[in-house]
Amino acid sequence: MITGKTTVVGIMGDPVEHSLSPPMHNAAFQELKLDYVYVPFHVKRGNLALAMEGARKMGIKGLNLTIPHKIEVINYLDEVDEVAKLIGAVNTVNFTDDLVTGYNTDGIGAVKAIEEVRSIKNKKIIIIGAGGAARAISFQLLLSGAGEVLIANRTREKACILADNLNEISATSVGCLGLDDELTLELEDTDVLINTTPIGMHPHEDDEPLVTADMMHPDLVVNDIVYNPLETGLLREADKAGAIKVPGTKMLIYQGMEAFRIWTGKTPQLETFETVLMKELNR
Ligand SMILES: NC(=O)c1ccc[n+]([C@@H]2O[C@H](COP(=O)([O-])OP(=O)(O)OC[C@H]3O[C@@H](n4cnc5c(N)ncnc54)[C@H](OP(=O)(O)O)[C@@H]3O)[C@@H](O)[C@H]2O)c1
């Protein structure tokens, strides 16, 4: 029951009505008997400064930020965690009495998802895409000890800009390529492939995946961060190749669990988040 003592956290985005975070977090609060509630806030572009000021004044404890606020929110924080600073985007904010701090849990979410099936230490990893998600994941991969990272993108120049940014902070080799024969060649000895493009996402389930079974090998870990549909075209190709699949739901779950830990100091059960998410996605 919500009372005057209930602690409020939530998500600000535009749109926000399709967010799956409220049911996941609220189920975990109940499970751990924490007097918290997670609320969606529809904050339109242009209103974020006021909304953040309001959040401070209303004693909100924590926020997630989604499209289009992840970069702009940095202007309204007192401090930004090192990883979020490198990524240049914040998806989680923690409010204490005297400090508002920003974090980015997307990268750690992706790394934890992959590490359910394979350690990324010293592994060769190819990321397809060079947008916001690729940026968050690639910085975290370097910080978590990846051996080699290649960014492959339709617009090769964007992949090379991201690779340059990554090379500035790490001794790990980071390269860039386009979506051509070079990608096929590099995949031969790659350990982990991560798709961060929206290809195959609802309502475009029938899009041809950028990597097909003939380009994969059975020991390859294939992570598609698209989670709607649950089984994307890329994951079906991974099945055909006998490769190891990591669905996009895992990143969504782990990034949320990390935010939950930042706000409450407690680690929720993976199963709680997963059961609720699957129920929502299967509706
Ligand atoms: N599972 C999770 O928790 C999670 C978290 C965050 C995001 N996501 C998903 O990740 C996806 C990307 O998000 P984002 O924020 O990184 O998007 P973004 O910043 O817009 O970047 C999209 C990237 O995909 C590439 N791309 C788009 N359409 C393409 C096409 N038809 N062919 C080849 N490449 C194409 C773009 O290439 P160009 O540079 O050439 O345009 C760009 O590199 C979305 O589907 C989002 O839902 C999932």
Side-chain angles (χ1 to χ4, degrees):
M1 191 177 54
I2 297 171
T3 69
K5 291 186 197 148
T6 303
T7 302
V8 179
V9 297
I11 181 165
M12 289 182 176
D14 180 21
V16 79
E17 61 268 30
H18 301 301
S19 172
L20 297 165
S21 295
M24 286 196 294
H25 284 274
N26 285 323
F29 290 143
Q30 270 187 8
E31 174 84 20
L32 291 175
K33 299 194 170 29
L34 294 173
D35 188 7
Y36 277 64
V37 64
Y38 188 109
V39 186
F41 298 111
H42 185 186
V43 176
K44 291 193 177 152
R45 198 185 286 272
N47 286 343
L48 186 63
L50 280 172
M52 285 297 293
E53 188 59 25
R56 280 182 193 248
K57 296 273 159 52
M58 291 193 297
I60 281 174
K61 170 62 185 150
L63 285 173
N64 281 137
L65 283 305
T66 186
I67 291 172
H69 302 314
K70 287 187 184 184
I71 297 172
E72 188 192 339
V73 73
I74 291 175
N75 300 322
Y76 316 124
L77 304 173
D78 299 323
E79 63 175 24
V80 180
D81 157 83
E82 280 310 310
V83 180
K85 216 180 274 175
L86 288 172
I87 295 167
V90 158
N91 76 335
T92 301
V93 173
N94 189 48
F95 296 76
T96 60
D97 285 343
D98 47 5
L99 220 55
V100 181
T101 309
Y103 301 84
N104 193 311
T105 67
D106 279 336
I108 196 76
V111 167
K112 286 193 170 175
I114 292 161
E115 291 208 316
E116 268 197 5
V117 298
R118 172 142 333 146
S119 160
I120 59 136
K121 277 246 153 45
N122 302 321
K123 299 298 190 308
K124 175 173 173 179
I125 300 172
I126 296 185
I127 299 177
I128 305 192
R135 196 174 167 86
I137 295 170
S138 56
F139 274 101
Q140 191 64 53
L141 286 173
L142 294 187
L143 296 170
S144 302
E148 182 184 352
V149 174
L150 290 175
I151 313 288
N153 195 41
R154 174 176 64 181
T155 314
R156 191 175 185 280
E157 301 80 71
K158 276 202 211 162
C160 296
I161 292 170
L162 177 54
D164 286 348
N165 293 167
L166 293 159
N167 279 316
E168 275 169 29
I169 65 123
S170 171
T172 305
S173 159
V174 184
C176 56
L177 46 146
L179 303 177
D180 48 28
D181 290 350
E182 206 185 339
L183 173 60
T184 310
L185 212 64
E186 291 291 354
L187 276 164
E188 283 176 11
D189 64 346
T190 288
D191 300 293
V192 181
L193 170 72
I194 308 169
N195 172 56
T196 71
T197 75
I199 290 180
M201 191 166 82
H202 178 75
H204 304 292
E205 286 94 337
D206 295 331
D207 284 353
E208 172 81 7
L210 294 169
V211 176
T212 45
D214 53 306
M215 298 160 76
M216 299 176 183
H217 58 81
D219 199 37
L220 181 70
V221 173
V222 180
N223 173 210
D224 195 341
I225 74 163
V226 170
Y227 55 81
N228 185 13
L230 287 168
E231 185 80 353
T232 61
L234 181 71
L235 294 181
R236 284 197 298 275
E237 293 298 313
D239 261 341
K240 280 188 219 160
I244 304 144
K245 300 184 294 179
V246 179
T249 45
K250 293 285 182 182
M251 172 177 170
L252 187 65
I253 290 167
Y254 281 112
Q255 64 76 30
M257 287 172 60
E258 185 61 16
F260 188 103
R261 194 194 58 73
I262 289 168
W263 300 324
T264 66
K266 297 195 168 20
T267 304
Q269 293 285 326
L270 170 79
E271 294 72 29
T272 311
F273 268 57
E274 194 156 42
T275 305
V276 173
L277 180 59
M278 291 307 169
K279 205 169 109 194
E280 292 295 321
L281 287 172
N282 283 319
R283 258 177 215 269

